[in-house]
Amino acid sequence: AWLGLAYVTAARGDLDRARRILAYVADLSGHTSRWQRTTALLAHELDMEGIFRRSVNFMLRRGLKRTDTLNLVDVHYGDTARSLDALDADNHPAYLAWLLPWDRAADARRVWARMAAAGPPDEEITLKYLHYLISKKDIQRAQAIWQTASGITGMTNGGFEQPLSGRAFDWRAGRSREGYWQVRRVPGEGRDRSAALKVSFHGRANVNFHHLYQIVPVTPETPHRLHFWWRAERLTTDQGPFVEVVAYDGPRFHQPGSMLTGFSDWQAAQIAFTPPPGCTAVTVRLRRRTSNSFDNKIQGRLWLDDFHMEELPAGAAAPASAGNG
């Protein structure tokens, strides 16, 4: 009732009285979730900065109408720096997460810088921001944040000792809804009884497989060599799986490795490549192309382990093709 009276009073033009009413209401309901949105909206209209800040921070901290609240904050201040100053530090991650879908890259950088200066941001918002930067192919910025957060350079989770997160620079694996293939981490089945990644093909389709990959930062025009281990069991058809390196950004670039079929114990493999100018990241991907043979429905299993990538001296030559080591 008091809030309704404040609105009516403001509509009649008696803004001073409306502000007094709102201040009275804010003192009564300062710790009650139910009235915060209405209070914030009226404080926005009446330019009552203290009450507005208190209400929007309260709602964000409680997770109440987060998107609507940040829309209101953005309209109220019209400037990222002022919004940051108004929001409490524990609400900055929500503000950054709100900015990303709007593709406000410069504003997101400003918020991230403020958060990072106050201490390491939590893992969830760090991964969200990294995912955004990688999707925008801002690799250098993403790489710097990733190294600071994880201490990792080169490939991430190369021995599959951790579950695949599917985010940032970690491995990403898809699923087959039809059940044509399966990718899963298998502890104890690695080369040294450590973990490995197991890819199973179920013989139901002529699979075009490209659903396991990792984005890796590289140095353009510098030779690199990818190392890994793999083994096979009953892999059928003339088109077996192979690992390839392709450009993630910059000019098109593709370097395939050798194919694996039939039975094979653990064996080392490598792919040497030189990223072209402007290529700051590559995609390391497991592939299997469709077969033109009559017997083309692939079946069998494949294990992968111990991926790592090295940067070679500038004068080293990268061969045009690569095979098993």
Side-chain angles (χ1 to χ4, degrees):
W2 279 109
L3 284 170
L5 178 61
Y7 269 111
V8 171
T9 304
R12 290 175 175 174
D14 191 349
L15 300 184
D16 289 338
R17 187 182 182 199
R19 292 187 182 102
R20 291 197 299 273
I21 295 172
L22 181 60
Y24 174 70
V25 172
D27 287 341
L28 290 177
S29 62
H31 302 287
T32 305
S33 300
R34 181 176 180 180
W35 311 113
Q36 295 303 318
R37 176 167 169 75
T38 306
T39 299
L41 287 168
L42 190 52
H44 165 67
E45 294 182 11
L46 295 174
D47 294 323
M48 298 187 73
E49 185 64 20
I51 293 175
F52 180 82
R53 289 190 179 197
R54 187 172 68 185
S55 291
V56 295
N57 278 293
F58 182 100
M59 287 189 288
L60 291 174
R61 194 169 294 112
R62 297 288 182 91
L64 303 173
K65 297 185 179 295
R66 186 166 288 173
T67 299
D68 290 344
T69 301
L70 288 166
N71 285 339
L72 179 60
V73 169
D74 196 59
V75 169
H76 182 80
Y77 294 108
D79 177 79
T80 304
R82 293 182 62 205
S83 297
L84 269 173
D85 290 339
L87 295 175
D88 296 338
D90 57 348
N91 288 325
H92 289 173
Y95 186 36
L96 176 60
W98 177 82
L99 287 168
L100 299 181
W102 294 103
D103 198 16
R104 289 169 53 175
D107 293 334
R109 287 196 296 271
R110 183 190 292 267
V111 177
W112 175 264
R114 178 76 68 89
M115 291 169 54
D122 66 56
E123 181 181 9
E124 182 63 24
I125 191 58
T126 298
L127 288 173
K128 281 184 179 180
Y129 188 46
L130 282 169
H131 184 79
Y132 170 79
L133 291 174
I134 294 169
S135 71
K136 296 301 176 183
K137 301 188 177 180
D138 191 349
I139 300 301
Q140 293 180 338
R141 197 182 309 276
Q143 182 184 16
I145 293 172
W146 181 242
Q147 289 181 359
T148 300
S150 67
I152 295 173
T153 58
M155 297 199 69
T156 299
N157 198 14
F160 306 104
E161 297 307 317
Q162 302 297 326
L164 279 60
S165 71
R167 304 173 76 174
F169 291 108
D170 198 2
W171 292 99
R172 306 176 189 217
R175 295 182 180 180
S176 172
R177 295 181 181 178
E178 302 85 357
Y180 295 154
W181 46 266
Q182 181 186 42
V183 178
R184 64 189 182 100
R185 177 177 170 269
V186 283
E189 297 186 26
R191 185 166 63 96
D192 298 316
R193 295 191 176 182
S194 56
L197 203 69
K198 182 178 179 180
V199 183
S200 302
F201 298 98
H202 301 309
R204 299 172 185 169
N206 185 14
V207 174
N208 177 22
F209 184 87
H210 51 86
H211 303 87
L212 173 67
Y213 65 97
Q214 182 178 133
I215 300 165
V216 186
V218 293
T219 304
E221 301 182 84
T222 301
H224 292 70
R225 184 175 288 122
L226 170 68
H227 300 265
F228 61 97
W229 287 75
W230 59 353
R231 75 178 182 95
E233 186 177 277
R234 297 191 181 93
L235 280 173
T236 63
T237 76
D238 64 326
Q239 292 295 318
F242 62 94
V243 175
E244 65 178 0
V245 180
V246 298
Y248 179 71
D249 62 352
R252 296 185 64 179
F253 161 76
H254 176 231
Q255 183 64 62
S258 60
M259 192 182 298
L260 195 63
T261 58
F263 287 83
S264 171
D265 199 356
W266 283 109
Q267 58 179 291
Q270 59 181 260
I271 301 174
F273 64 95
T274 300
C279 178
T280 62
V282 295
T283 301
V284 175
R285 180 167 59 193
L286 181 67
R287 283 290 312 276
R288 189 266 179 179
R289 295 192 179 100
T290 55
S291 171
N292 294 323
S293 300
F294 176 77
D295 180 14
N296 57 28
K297 295 181 180 179
I298 186 170
Q299 187 173 7
R301 295 179 290 181
L302 165 75
W303 287 259
L304 298 162
D305 200 1
D306 291 340
F307 278 79
H308 74 275
M309 187 180 295
E310 62 174 332
E311 187 172 305
L312 304 176
S321 61
N324 292 335

